[in-house]
Amino acid sequence: MRCGAMQPSVPTHREQLQMPYWVVEPETPETPFCHPRTLLVFSSWLLFAFIFELGVTEVAAKEKPPINSLVSMPCWVVEDFVVAKECAPCTTFQAKTTPECGTTGFVEKISCSGSKRDEFKSCRSAMMERHLFWKFEGAVVGVAAVFACLVILRQRSLDRKALEKVRKQIESI
């Protein structure tokens, strides 16, 4: 059955017994897609899929130092270091050549004091964190708007049912 299709009005058992409108009869197995309950389930699944996808794509991989030996470990893991250049976005050349750029897209230059080596270290920038925060806030506002609309639609539906019941009671007098 398509959305908006009208079914013949046959008095139900609930109408004959004058049961309150909040008592719900079991629904027929074939509910149309535009039924509020079907729309609610569909929108919930859609929202879950969106949030899951957003969370999966935004998760930054944690850095794991190699287990092989101390020689292959970066100097900043085993020595004291000074940050020579603050956390900044990788250039296109760095993104292709520096493996540290792959995890977050941001690197900082580290100067190790013991070995006097300069290395790059992956980092999370304040700009990236701000961007993720506003993405989250946008998703929250979007979800709130969707559910506010669902509440309004449900309230209208319940009001129509209550008015119809009152109209039928007045007509029966």
Side-chain angles (χ1 to χ4, degrees), residues 56-116:
V56 167
T57 56
E58 296 297 331
V59 172
K62 292 184 179 179
E63 295 178 29
K64 294 182 181 177
I67 303 173
N68 301 0
S69 67
L70 274 171
V71 176
S72 66
M73 293 182 83
C75 68
W76 51 269
V77 174
V78 292
E79 301 176 21
D80 290 334
F81 63 88
V82 177
V83 177
K85 186 178 175 188
E86 290 295 323
C87 192
C90 297
T91 63
T92 54
F93 178 73
Q94 282 179 328
K96 294 178 182 176
T97 58
T98 310
E100 287 82 7
C101 283
T103 54
T104 62
F106 290 86
V107 290
E108 59 187 358
K109 190 174 183 180
I110 303 293
S111 295
C112 295
S113 57
S115 61
K116 306 268 191 236

